[in-house]
Amino acid sequence: QVQLVESGGGLVQAGGSLRLSCAASGRTFSSYGMGWFRQAPGKEREFVAALRWRNSGTYYGDSVKGRFTISGDNAQNMLYLQMNSLKSEDTAVYYCAADSHGLAYISSVRDRAIYDYWGQGTQVTVSS
């Protein structure tokens, strides 16, 4: 069974930075791509960033573009999210997700439905 575990969340002041990590494990784990989503209280889960291994393509939500950077190491089954210039609006639970079936070609890397594995989430709180 595949497991994804996020870490690195915490409390930070506006303008500060955090680096989130996601570790994937499982004897048969393999993915075509991975992504980050976030969810604030009372809001829908929102696309943050995605990475496709084949072409090293990166994708970002409009609200974080220019401030966040997604990266990863497929061989090590690790995914990262560097968050800079944090705003109070970034406060949310951040989730790591993996697409093990390569479904982006019939949908989008922004679509929650293509990701079949999800982590438990890590809380990011930005104070202002």
Side-chain angles (χ1 to χ4, degrees):
Q1 186 67 30
V2 173
Q3 293 183 336
L4 304 180
V5 180
E6 303 96 333
S7 62
L11 175 64
V12 64
Q13 291 184 322
S17 299
L18 282 175
R19 186 173 188 252
L20 305 184
S21 298
C22 172
S25 63
R27 66 180 186 274
T28 61
F29 179 77
S30 181
S31 73
Y32 289 85
M34 299 181 72
W36 290 97
F37 291 77
R38 66 187 184 186
Q39 188 165 26
K43 305 290 182 60
E44 292 187 358
R45 193 164 297 189
E46 174 191 21
F47 172 76
V48 175
L51 184 154
R52 307 307 291 185
W53 300 118
R54 188 181 69 173
N55 63 352
S56 299
T58 57
Y59 309 83
Y60 296 94
D62 291 340
S63 63
V64 307
K65 191 173 184 179
R67 299 188 297 120
F68 292 9
T69 302
I70 188 171
S71 62
D73 186 334
N74 192 24
Q76 296 293 320
N77 295 323
M78 294 292 296
L79 186 73
Y80 306 98
L81 184 68
Q82 179 66 46
M83 305 185 294
N84 298 326
S85 302
L86 284 162
K87 306 173 181 179
S88 60
E89 301 95 298
D90 296 317
T91 295
V93 176
Y94 283 70
Y95 297 91
C96 171
D99 167 23
S100 67
H101 295 100
L103 299 179
Y105 74 102
I106 59 170
S107 184
S108 168
V109 300
R110 301 170 180 267
D111 183 1
R112 297 189 302 271
I114 75 165
Y115 298 96
D116 50 329
Y117 296 109
W118 293 82
Q120 82 291 342
T122 185
Q123 177 71 49
V124 172
T125 302
V126 183
S127 63
S128 60

